[in-house]
Amino acid sequence: MENTAGSNPQSNGFTEKLKSWLSWSWTYVCFIWFGMVLIMIYVLWSPLKLQETLASEMLPLSLFPWQIFEWWYFRKYGTSFIEQVSVSHLRPLLGGVESSSATGLFTSINGETEPRPSVSGKHAVHVVIKTIVVDGALTLCYVVILIECKVWRNPLNLFRGAEYNRYTWVTGKEPLTYYDMNLSAQDHQTFFTGDTPQLRPEDAVMQKAWRERNPQARIRAAYQALEMNQDCAAAYVLLAEEEATTITEAERLFRKALSIAGKDINLLVYIKRRLAMCARKLGRVKEAVKMMRDLMKEFPLLGMLNIHENLLEALLELQAYADVQAVLAKYDDISLPKSATICYTSALLKARAVSDKFSPEAASRRGLSSAEMNAVEAIHRAVEFNPHVPKYLLEMKSLILPPEHILKRGDSEAVAYAFFHLQHWKRAEGALNLLHCTWEGTFRLIPYPLEKGHLFYPYPGCTETADRELLPSFHEVSVYPKKELPFFILFTAGLCSFTAMLAMLTHQFPELMGVFAKAVSTSTTGSYSLPLLY
């Protein structure tokens, strides 16, 4: 025995050093861990209402496996298992909600009912799940909120032949989704039904033409309609949109359509608007502004077409800021639907008044002036309405061609706004700097969870799904709010993983883990001497 013990002096020395190192390190690790736990309890005492939780009833340990399952389900499917099951089973039991019930459901800032237009569109039922304690027991409370998710026609949509197709020729990518183009086909079928009581043969051909999925089939149908009747204005509209490869050629075809449109109001409004957009794209901005103003005067009841958004963009190009303010005074009203163009243009006008001299360091020392405060509040208002826009304006995300339809407050609207208005923000000196310094402060003002809004109704939860249908697959859709794992799911998962690792190591290396356990136990009592195991 003596020879055996004396034959391995290096082995014994290494074992002694390992034991002493474990004893020394785990002493400080335990103190650091204990200190971090105390700090965490102190920081989270008020936000998590730990005193009330401890005073009621402690959660049983049997909830831990369920939390682990919830964490795994969230990581795999991106949503809570409880929420998914609740939405799937509660919604049929509740019998759904009619779209007409959207009127009067939302409230404005002062608590009064905010009028909402009754529209036919996609709506979503959002089920909010809250965990509450009733008589010492956990109870799930389900709150059903109807959220409007209606898709709107993009008032500044591009020309397919002259703009979208050119992008496809250069990049080989399709900028429009089939869902978006199908919505446009439905719009055209509704707009261009003809001004006669009975459907004429050429109108029937054009109705079929809009439904064709293949662009060449649509163009052939338009020529077929022209063979039947040379005065088919809808056929020239289709050729201007689809076949014309330049804006100049599209303008020529639209002028031809206007000369034979007759008294069909839908055709007249559509053609005149597109002619104004052609003039704007060809640099004749003043002419475009005049055409838009005349169109709004001639058809004042067609506010739903949002022609004022085309006018705002053209006026900003002219830097006619007084005229822009006059348009905003008419359309930025609490009783009218909002849009990113309205909110962010209002913010731009207030920002440009102070942004050229704005300095974050100076503002932090002296505070904000009244004009700077108005600008910051306008930016916060715009960001609350559509939180996706700033990343495009600040070029934190790359832009793509805007879709033909947008979802208000969604990523599709943000893309469409930034595509046309980024140049106007860059032209105002310091405006983007002011936006960069203040836009993230909006999220501190919005109640969390997002079941209530600050200046607008709660942010809809259906925007991601609709935006993925409107935007091409190569675009990374912006999602708000970001889904984040709750702290206690992460903590429970880490604790359970650590316990499982200790159990596995104890099973595989019982002697070494015995030394480790004794080292930890003796270090907590202040003793640094470890018994030798032979």
Side-chain angles (χ1 to χ4, degrees):
M1 291 291 293
E2 292 176 359
N3 294 335
T4 305
S7 62
N8 296 314
Q10 295 180 351
S11 176
N12 291 339
F14 176 78
T15 305
E16 291 288 340
K17 290 181 180 179
L18 177 62
K19 292 176 181 178
S20 62
W21 181 83
L22 288 174
S23 174
W24 176 83
S25 62
W26 274 96
T27 300
Y28 290 95
V29 168
C30 290
F31 279 119
I32 294 173
W33 173 256
F34 184 72
M36 291 175 62
V37 171
L38 291 179
I39 293 173
M40 183 185 66
I41 294 175
Y42 177 78
V43 172
L44 300 178
W45 187 267
S46 296
L48 297 181
K49 300 181 180 180
L50 295 180
Q51 184 176 1
E52 299 177 11
T53 304
L54 294 174
S56 57
E57 182 176 346
M58 297 292 292
L59 288 175
L61 294 178
S62 60
L63 280 179
F64 283 179
W66 176 256
Q67 290 178 339
I68 297 174
F69 173 75
E70 271 284 299
W71 171 80
W72 170 82
Y73 193 88
F74 183 93
R75 292 289 294 177
K76 186 171 184 180
Y77 299 105
T79 185
S80 167
F81 175 77
I82 300 177
E83 181 177 0
Q84 185 70 21
V85 172
S86 302
V87 171
S88 301
H89 296 283
L90 271 182
R91 188 174 180 179
L93 292 176
L94 292 171
V97 188
E98 294 296 330
S99 62
S100 60
S101 63
T103 306
L105 182 64
F106 303 104
T107 55
S108 58
I109 321 170
N110 55 11
E112 299 176 356
T113 301
E114 180 180 350
R116 307 288 303 164
S118 179
V119 292
S120 58
K122 289 177 59 178
H123 293 76
V125 174
H126 182 54
V127 180
V128 180
I129 303 176
K130 301 192 72 172
T131 306
I132 58 176
V133 179
V134 180
D135 297 332
L138 283 174
T139 306
L140 292 176
C141 176
Y142 302 94
V143 182
V144 180
I145 303 175
L146 181 67
I147 298 178
E148 181 179 352
C149 278
K150 184 179 184 298
V151 175
W152 298 76
R153 181 85 174 177
N154 182 4
L156 286 87
N157 64 303
L158 304 178
F159 295 85
R160 286 192 188 176
E163 293 174 302
Y164 286 120
N165 285 351
R166 289 173 63 186
Y167 177 84
T168 303
W169 297 336
V170 173
T171 65
K173 298 178 180 179
E174 289 290 343
L176 297 176
T177 64
Y178 174 70
Y179 174 71
D180 191 14
M181 292 189 290
N182 186 50
L183 290 176
S184 297
Q186 295 176 17
D187 293 340
H188 294 146
Q189 284 180 277
T190 305
F191 290 159
F192 310 137
T193 55
D195 56 351
T196 57
Q198 293 183 349
L199 202 64
R200 296 173 299 186
E202 62 270 20
D203 293 330
V205 171
M206 289 306 302
Q207 287 288 300
K208 182 181 178 182
W210 298 118
R211 293 195 299 268
E212 293 286 352
R213 186 170 184 176
N214 190 312
Q216 295 303 319
R218 291 194 292 269
I219 293 173
R220 285 196 299 269
Y223 279 114
Q224 181 184 350
L226 287 175
E227 290 176 0
M228 295 179 178
N229 183 1
Q230 285 292 323
D231 292 336
C232 182
Y236 284 107
V237 169
L238 189 147
L239 294 176
E241 293 283 356
E242 305 261 355
E243 190 183 37
T245 56
T246 64
I247 300 298
T248 303
E249 185 180 355
E251 184 181 35
R252 179 184 63 80
L253 290 170
F254 275 122
R255 291 190 184 280
K256 177 64 176 177
L258 181 63
S259 64
I260 58 177
K263 297 181 180 180
D264 190 331
I265 294 179
N266 290 338
L267 262 175
L268 288 173
V269 172
Y270 185 90
I271 294 171
K272 289 183 177 181
R273 181 182 197 164
R274 294 305 259 177
L275 281 171
M277 294 176 69
C278 288
R280 164 68 182 91
K281 292 175 185 293
L282 293 172
R284 307 194 307 269
V285 187
K286 290 184 178 179
E287 178 185 343
V289 168
K290 182 179 184 305
M291 294 173 69
M292 293 171 190
R293 290 189 185 277
D294 293 343
L295 189 58
M296 294 168 65
K297 290 179 181 178
E298 187 177 359
F299 305 101
L301 300 180
L302 297 179
M304 68 182 69
L305 298 178
N306 298 322
I307 303 174
H308 58 276
E309 296 194 9
N310 299 80
L311 178 61
L312 283 172
E313 196 280 326
L315 290 172
L316 286 172
E317 179 63 21
L318 292 175
Q319 301 184 45
Y321 296 112
D323 292 337
V324 172
Q325 186 60 57
V327 176
L328 287 176
K330 181 177 180 181
Y331 289 96
D332 192 6
D333 188 83
I334 192 172
S335 62
L336 296 176
K338 298 295 181 293
S339 67
T341 300
I342 292 291
C343 295
Y344 278 90
T345 302
S346 177
L348 174 60
L349 291 190
K350 293 180 180 179
R352 66 175 294 273
V354 298
S355 60
D356 57 337
K357 299 179 181 178
F358 177 78
S359 170
E361 295 78 11
S364 62
R365 289 196 306 268
R366 59 173 170 79
L368 295 174
S369 65
S370 59
E372 290 173 337
M373 184 62 70
N374 289 336
V376 171
E377 289 177 352
I379 290 175
H380 286 174
R381 171 179 178 259
V383 174
E384 182 183 354
F385 182 84
N386 193 317
H388 309 284
V389 172
K391 287 189 176 182
Y392 293 107
L393 293 180
L394 298 173
E395 299 181 270
M396 299 165 65
K397 285 196 68 176
S398 58
L399 273 173
I400 60 171
L401 295 186
E404 293 183 337
H405 289 80
I406 59 173
L407 181 69
K408 287 192 177 183
R409 307 187 74 177
D411 190 34
S412 52
E413 184 190 35
V415 169
Y417 172 79
F419 184 85
F420 293 101
H421 289 264
L422 176 58
Q423 56 181 331
H424 306 314
W425 279 83
K426 287 184 175 181
R427 189 180 293 125
E429 182 182 355
L432 288 176
N433 177 48
L434 180 59
L435 177 68
H436 174 73
C437 296
T438 57
W439 75 277
E440 290 182 329
T442 308
F443 306 117
R444 293 193 292 269
L445 304 175
I446 302 175
Y448 189 85
L450 301 176
E451 294 149 9
K452 294 188 296 183
H454 179 59
L455 298 175
F456 299 99
Y457 53 83
Y459 190 83
C462 57
T463 58
E464 180 182 359
T465 303
D467 280 332
R468 291 192 186 280
E469 294 178 331
L470 291 171
L471 297 170
S473 58
F474 59 82
H475 173 71
E476 183 182 354
V477 175
S478 176
V479 179
Y480 175 81
K482 289 283 187 182
K483 293 183 178 180
E484 297 179 355
L485 283 174
F487 168 77
F488 281 109
I489 289 183
L490 294 174
F491 178 76
T492 303
L495 183 62
C496 292
S497 301
F498 180 69
T499 306
M501 183 184 67
L502 287 179
M504 183 185 67
L505 291 175
T506 304
H507 178 73
Q508 294 291 333
F509 311 102
E511 293 183 359
L512 183 60
M513 292 304 294
V515 174
F516 174 76
K518 287 187 177 181
V520 173
S521 62
T522 54
S523 65
T524 56
T525 59
S527 174
Y528 292 91
S529 61
L530 290 173
L532 296 179
L533 299 175
Y534 293 106

